[in-house]
Amino acid sequence: QVQLVESGGGLVQPGGSLRLSCAASGSISRINTMGWYRQAPGKQRELVAGMHSGSSRSYADSVKGRFTISRDNAKNTVYLQMNSLKPEDTAVYLCYYSTYQERYWGQGTQVTVSS
């Protein structure tokens, strides 16, 4: 079992920044991928960014150049730095941890971009 604890969401004005964190604990595999999905009301869940323990990264086209994913493998923690936020970034952001065998989800953190 793996537990994920997220933090860092909130309300921010358009153009502002937020940093999300997600700490994993439990039976952590040395090889894994951690990252973030988001889900807005009435929309499908969307992959925002993912990062393999070997350092490869992927981003949704809608966030490239604005969001940066990073991780501290010693702390089993993944971060999402979100800059130049737009109202359309408003959603619940869900952290995930996955291996080839399993996937776990965090409880989600709300990000609201509004003036």
Side-chain angles (χ1 to χ4, degrees), residues 29-96:
S29 172
R30 186 175 58 86
I31 299 174
N32 63 73
T33 299
M34 293 183 70
W36 301 86
Y37 277 74
R38 66 186 179 187
Q39 187 155 22
K43 295 187 177 181
Q44 286 191 329
R45 188 172 291 187
E46 171 190 31
L47 176 63
V48 177
M51 186 169 180
H52 190 263
S53 50
S55 300
S56 63
R57 296 172 173 87
S58 61
Y59 294 96
D61 287 344
S62 58
V63 306
K64 284 180 181 176
R66 299 188 298 122
F67 291 11
T68 302
I69 189 169
S70 61
R71 57 187 289 170
D72 183 335
N73 288 333
K75 297 181 179 179
N76 295 317
T77 299
V78 65
Y79 306 96
L80 186 66
Q81 178 67 43
M82 305 185 293
N83 298 329
S84 302
L85 282 160
K86 304 176 182 180
E88 51 264 43
D89 295 317
T90 295
V92 174
Y93 283 69
L94 300 116
C95 174
Y96 73 93

